[in-house]
Amino acid sequence: MDFGGPGPVLFALHGHFGEAESGPWWPVGPGSQDPRLTVDDKEQRSVRFSVVELDGGMLAGTATLWGIDTHNRVAHIGLGLRPGFRGKGYGTDVVAVLCHYAFVVRGLRRLQIETLADNAPMLRSAERNGFVREGVLRSSAWVLGEVLDEVLLGLLAQDWEPARGR
């Protein structure tokens, strides 16, 4: 996987910002200044990556380190893969790279993931990288007219094993 800045191909990523976002989904058109699709080098609270397949260079999805708190040295991980790229182990690889970036490059001490309780692929990707389930946020997500639970997972820098997710 390659992680580059967002590009025009993100506009073709239909349906990606649905379950991964806390607000309702609506289409984003070309030329939009939507902050999810632009790079702001001054922004210190989030870092967005494009996930690009090494063989063929196709956009596989997006990955984000968000809610970066430099005082407490904590952040959240988010990722979304296009349907054709799911089930191939990319999620595990993306989480591993985000952990490396957060712990080694940024010097953070804790990462957190919140995901829907029925998102088995994300739960597997997180746990393969050493994340521990810390709790359930009951009825915390409104998704397509339904209230769902979310699972809270955490990983501390001292518990991280770089090659674990591979």
Side-chain angles (χ1 to χ4, degrees), residues 16-75:
H16 164 69
F17 295 118
E19 293 182 0
E21 295 291 320
S22 62
W25 180 88
W26 45 66
V28 178
S32 170
Q33 294 303 310
D34 188 306
R36 297 171 296 183
L37 304 176
T38 59
V39 174
D40 180 356
D41 292 332
K42 295 177 187 151
E43 171 60 49
Q44 297 295 311
R45 298 210 15 94
S46 67
V47 181
R48 295 170 179 84
F49 300 92
S50 293
V51 179
V52 179
E53 185 181 42
L54 290 176
D55 296 332
M58 294 290 297
L59 177 73
T62 62
T64 307
L65 192 65
W66 63 275
I68 300 169
D69 177 341
T70 56
H71 175 73
N72 292 305
R73 296 178 34 218
V74 299

Side-chain angles (χ1 to χ4, degrees), residues 113-126:
I113 295 174
E114 299 88 4
T115 190
L116 295 176
D118 65 354
N119 188 351
M122 184 65 211
L123 292 168
R124 273 193 310 273
S125 293

Side-chain angles (χ1 to χ4, degrees), residues 97-116:
V97 170
L98 289 174
C99 289
H100 176 85
Y101 176 77
F103 294 139
V104 175
V105 177
R106 297 294 295 260
L108 300 179
R109 63 171 188 81
R110 175 186 164 80
L111 291 174
Q112 187 168 305
I113 295 174
E114 299 88 4
T115 190
L116 295 176

